[in-house]
Amino acid sequence: MSSSIILMIAAMGMVTYIPRMLPFVMLNGRELPPFLQRVLKNIPYAILGALIFPGVLYIQEDIRFGVVGAVSAFVLAYLGANIMVIIVGAIVILSLCSLFL
């Protein structure tokens, strides 16, 4: 392995480590305002939605399959079904739709 690759790996490690370490060190012992705490708690859900939702819509060339699958999963989740029922239900609904579309 050449020294340039090792140097690049070390630099990438530092670039990844510094943004994670700085807030931990700077906010150690301090409490954030409640509004900021609520905003920070929602960030993982927003990021997860942004990463997953475009993939859901473009699961096939026809965007209708993605929309039907997403809507069926949302409806089942809203009704309080557990995750296995949501997954199996969305698969069954998409299978039925593939027969008719």
Side-chain angles (χ1 to χ4, degrees), residues 65 68-69 71-73 76 88-99:
F65 284 101
V68 168
V71 168
S72 62
L76 290 172
V88 172
I91 290 171
V92 168
I93 291 171
L94 281 177
S95 298
L96 291 174
C97 285
S98 67
L99 293 175

Side-chain angles (χ1 to χ4, degrees), residues 12-83:
M12 288 189 299
M14 289 297 293
V15 168
T16 302
Y17 178 73
I18 289 173
R20 294 176 185 200
M21 184 260 317
L22 277 178
F24 180 72
V25 170
M26 293 175 69
L27 299 174
N28 189 17
R30 296 182 184 159
E31 188 164 325
L32 295 173
F35 173 74
L36 192 56
Q37 288 182 12
R38 286 192 304 266
V39 169
L40 291 175
K41 285 180 182 177
N42 290 325
I43 288 176
Y45 302 114
I47 291 173
L48 192 61
L51 291 174
I52 291 176
F53 198 69
V56 168
L57 289 179
Y58 296 107
I59 192 169
Q60 287 192 353
E61 293 175 6
D62 191 357
I63 196 169
R64 291 181 295 180
F65 284 101
V67 172
V68 168
V71 168
S72 62
F74 283 130
V75 168
L76 290 172
Y78 183 75
L79 294 175
N82 68 27
I83 189 70

